[in-house]
Amino acid sequence: MRRISTLFVSSVKCQPSYLTPCLAGRWDARVPPMVTSNNFFSTKAPSSGSKGEDDGNDAEFNEHFKLDKNRHPLMGQTQGRLKDQDHRLKATTYWDNPTPHQIYSSEELKSVEIVHKEPSAMYDKVALFAVKLMRTGFDIVSRYKGPGGEMTKRAWLNRCLFLETVAGVPGMVAGMARHLKSLRSMKRDHGWIHTLLAEAENERMHLLIFMKMKDPGLFFRFMVIVGQGVFFNAFFLTYLISPRTCHRFVGYLEEEAVKTYTGLLKDIGHDEGHLESWGSEPAHSIAIRYYKLPADAKVRDVIGCIRADEATHRDVNHTFAELDPDMDNNPFIHKHK
């Protein structure tokens, strides 16, 4: 029994951890190229003398997988000690999200624009109609007044919180659907899964950032559960039928998100914003670490990064909607070299 335990621990320590590339590139040329964070993964092959599929000789394998220099979170050692009678762990270090994501310069943040992809095919028109219907209904129910002085800080935070709980669903559902299809068909996915799951994680981080600004009440949380239950199942069933329609839907949905955050930036801006004091509040540490912002970053800097992320998802999903979901490779996976 002791020998089996030793062999198991040894095998766990030898397991390589890896991260896969994701989100890169632009659908619209007017949106600037992105700077990716190189702190979390390396493109170099392992230096060990192991043989087989992961020995670094297969160029396609190395393109598909990126080796992570960091230890896996479950295998890492957290510096801290037990205090108090309840033995709670007081950690002295912070955890950085290891999922690759964009790090933007100030020039790139300022140059993000509101763009629109004109529908051409029938699935484009169906997706656009669905987004317009959802946007109109949500605006009416939430009493959205738009930028210009009538939206309070509380109203903006409620809107952003709810939208991010919705925005984090499509990437996870699409990634899950493609993952299961890859298992059923016993074929590769052409790299789409990694970009989709990274998109879902990015949207989840947006939610966690806004949660540091406001803690929703019970009714709000109940509505999130209802909304997620309806949207998840509807999106999943639609994705099984027409992935292109779903990606176009997300592209149009992110167009609306860019409009929303552009309006929020106006309200918290230096010049004409009536919520300028909110925009000047210090950014929370979770946002500073995630976006690699300066220590004195403000809330408006964080909102600018979130808007740039939404522009990224817009462009990525509009591109996916143009591709053959069964045959074409993910064009964004090659941007992370």
Side-chain angles (χ1 to χ4, degrees):
M1 191 68 183
R2 182 178 301 175
R3 182 180 181 183
I4 294 176
S5 176
T6 304
L7 290 175
F8 175 76
V9 173
S10 177
S11 65
V12 169
K13 290 184 178 180
C14 294
Q15 287 291 327
S17 61
Y18 56 81
L19 290 175
T20 53
C22 64
L23 302 178
R26 293 288 182 178
W27 167 76
D28 194 292
R30 287 173 289 179
V31 184
M34 291 161 292
V35 179
T36 57
S37 172
N38 294 321
N39 296 331
F40 305 117
F41 61 88
S42 169
T43 59
K44 295 181 180 180
S47 58
S48 63
S50 59
K51 301 295 182 180
E53 184 180 41
D54 57 348
D55 61 359
N57 295 326
D58 190 336
E60 184 179 12
F61 178 87
N62 288 334
E63 183 61 42
H64 198 65
F65 296 103
K66 307 298 181 184
L67 301 181
D68 185 12
K69 294 180 180 179
N70 298 333
R71 292 172 61 86
H72 190 279
L74 297 180
M75 298 298 295
Q77 296 180 352
T78 303
Q79 296 179 4
R81 57 176 181 165
L82 296 176
K83 292 181 179 180
D84 304 326
Q85 298 273 332
D86 57 355
H87 300 290
R88 288 180 298 177
L89 182 64
K90 303 296 184 180
T92 59
T93 59
Y94 292 107
W95 177 78
D96 280 333
N97 192 313
T99 306
H101 57 279
Q102 287 67 46
I103 304 299
Y104 306 95
S105 67
S106 57
E107 292 75 16
E108 290 168 338
L109 294 176
K110 294 177 182 177
S111 61
V112 174
E113 297 179 358
I114 296 176
V115 298
H116 176 62
K117 173 71 170 63
E118 291 296 334
S120 55
M122 179 56 66
Y123 70 89
D124 295 340
K125 298 176 182 179
V126 171
L128 181 59
F129 175 78
V131 170
K132 292 296 184 183
L133 185 63
M134 285 183 57
R135 169 73 192 253
T136 301
F138 182 66
D139 286 352
I140 294 174
V141 172
S142 63
R143 299 179 181 179
Y144 178 62
K145 302 178 178 62
E150 298 188 40
M151 290 286 287
T152 63
K153 175 182 177 180
R154 181 175 181 273
W156 271 119
L157 284 174
N158 283 336
R159 183 176 183 82
C160 293
L161 281 165
F162 195 88
L163 288 177
E164 294 301 342
T165 65
V166 174
V169 172
M172 181 59 66
V173 172
M176 177 190 70
R178 295 188 67 90
H179 173 78
L180 295 177
K181 183 177 181 180
S182 177
L183 296 179
R184 291 193 307 270
S185 62
M186 301 182 187
K187 296 180 181 178
R188 290 187 57 186
D189 177 68
H190 305 289
W192 290 43
I193 293 175
H194 316 296
T195 295
L196 295 170
L197 295 183
E199 175 184 310
E201 174 64 8
N202 181 247
E203 298 287 9
R204 189 182 71 90
M205 286 300 299
H206 294 173
L207 175 64
L208 296 182
I209 290 172
F210 283 119
M211 286 288 294
K212 294 299 182 179
M213 305 182 197
K214 184 180 187 298
D215 187 15
L218 292 178
F219 179 75
F220 187 97
R221 293 172 182 269
F222 173 75
M223 293 305 298
V224 168
I225 294 174
V226 173
Q228 185 181 97
V230 174
F231 184 60
F232 177 94
N233 289 284
F235 191 86
F236 177 69
L237 293 176
T238 306
Y239 198 89
L240 295 179
I241 300 171
S242 178
R244 281 183 170 178
T245 302
C246 289
H247 286 297
R248 188 68 79 200
F249 171 87
V250 177
Y252 286 134
L253 189 67
E254 298 295 0
E255 287 184 8
E256 298 300 320
V258 173
K259 293 178 184 177
T260 295
Y261 286 118
T262 299
L264 175 55
L265 285 171
K266 290 181 180 179
D267 277 1
I268 64 177
H270 286 293
D271 302 326
E272 54 189 48
H274 69 285
L275 298 175
E276 191 276 336
S277 59
W278 175 29
S280 299
E281 292 179 5
H284 195 275
S285 59
I286 186 176
I288 292 177
R289 295 196 303 272
Y290 186 67
Y291 288 113
K292 310 302 178 186
L293 295 172
D296 59 348
K298 308 301 181 184
V299 169
R300 68 172 58 89
D301 300 320
V302 177
I303 302 301
C305 292
I306 293 177
R307 181 181 67 162
D309 282 338
E310 306 296 2
T312 298
H313 305 324
R314 172 196 66 196
D315 303 335
V316 167
N317 279 277
H318 275 318
T319 301
F320 279 162
E322 303 286 346
L323 303 178
D324 185 335
D326 297 321
M327 300 298 295
D328 291 332
N329 293 324
N330 178 4
F332 306 105
I333 207 167
H334 300 287
K335 302 295 183 180
H336 293 255
K337 291 185 177 181

